Amino acid sequence: MNLVKIFITGRPGVGKSTLIRHILEYLQFKKVSVGGIITPEVREKGRRIGFKIVDLMSNESDFLASIYIKSNYRVGKYYINLDALHRIGINALDVAIKKAQVIIVDEIGKMELISNEFKRKLIDSFAVKKPVIATIGLYFVKLFINEVKKRVNSSVLVYELTRENFNHIKKSIVDKLGLNNHQKLF
């Protein structure tokens, strides 16, 4: 497997998290050990009320952000659960660095980068000798990737996702990982 570091960026709602889920399912199908985090949205009566943070290896989860949480940290209408970000997020990355074959982070954005400790652990995870695939908000691409490039000796690739190039980028990422026979799943 190639040691590429892949960032997927694009406008909100374009399908970055959906693409990560497709890649995650493919890796699991190929029996590849995957660690890291995902941050799915949580809806109540059709209305988004927040986001969970989920450890991909242990399945532990908690609210990362919610309209109901009381916190000193806020992004838009969502209050950030810094304890969950540290307890689940940092631990998930620690375990992924040690045990996973591939690290996935969905997503790197305002909520996640509110914590310097979490940001440092993210950068550490990109410095390890294993593939890393992450989604990242457009605003953070240059800033964060420049920090990663200072620590990484392997390729750093950035894909800007659109609805039109979704399938092409999905195939390209799997190709970059160096896994064969992916046409059967796609």
Side-chain angles (χ1 to χ4, degrees):
M1 200 171 325
N2 296 326
L3 302 179
V4 295
K5 312 304 177 184
I6 298 172
F7 288 97
I8 304 164
T9 192
R11 296 192 177 285
V14 76
K16 297 182 297 291
S17 294
T18 301
L19 178 57
I20 281 286
R21 277 195 311 274
H22 284 220
I23 292 168
L24 176 60
E25 288 170 7
Y26 174 70
L27 292 170
Q28 290 169 335
F29 171 78
K30 295 293 264 181
K31 307 269 191 268
V32 174
S33 170
V34 181
I37 62 162
I38 56 172
T39 55
E41 64 179 30
V42 178
R43 293 189 169 269
E44 184 177 85
K45 297 179 184 172
R47 181 182 87 151
R48 185 167 63 196
I49 60 161
F51 299 87
K52 290 261 189 173
I53 184 166
V54 180
D55 178 330
L56 289 172
M57 292 194 93
S58 73
N59 246 357
E60 182 180 2
S61 70
D62 198 349
F63 272 95
L64 167 63
S66 171
I67 59 175
Y68 301 125
I69 292 173
K70 297 300 176 211
S71 168
N72 293 329
Y73 302 95
R74 188 172 157 181
V75 174
K77 65 182 178 180
Y78 303 105
Y79 292 90
I80 309 304
N81 182 351
L82 218 51
D83 174 64
L85 182 60
H86 290 160
R87 182 173 37 84
I88 295 173
I90 291 174
N91 184 60
L93 292 175
D94 271 337
V95 172
I97 287 167
K98 294 173 189 161
K99 296 183 178 180
Q101 292 172 279
V102 176
I103 299 172
I104 286 183
V105 179
D106 181 35
E107 113 170 41
I108 302 169
K110 284 182 188 178
M111 292 181 191
E112 296 78 15
L113 295 178
I114 209 160
S115 164
N116 286 328
E117 293 92 338
F118 186 74
K119 182 179 175 182
R120 279 192 295 275
K121 187 53 68 178
L122 274 172
I123 292 169
D124 289 348
S125 69
F126 276 91
V128 299
K129 292 186 177 187
K130 52 183 73 177
V132 183
I133 307 167
T135 62
I136 186 167
L138 275 170
Y139 177 78
F140 300 101
V141 172
K142 287 183 182 175
L143 176 76
F144 191 79
I145 291 175
N146 285 336
E147 288 191 46
V148 168
K149 284 182 177 179
K150 291 176 190 174
R151 303 251 333 257
V152 172
N153 292 330
S154 57
S155 303
V156 176
L157 305 170
V158 180
Y159 291 95
E160 187 166 346
L161 187 65
T162 65
R163 293 190 190 282
E164 294 76 27
N165 68 10
F166 185 94
N167 287 325
H168 172 74
I169 288 179
K170 179 169 60 172
K171 182 183 179 310
S172 181
I173 289 171
V174 172
D175 287 345
K176 295 290 184 203
L177 289 172
L179 299 168
N180 297 324
N181 301 324
H182 60 276
Q183 287 77 15
K184 291 178 184 174
L185 188 65
F186 297 152

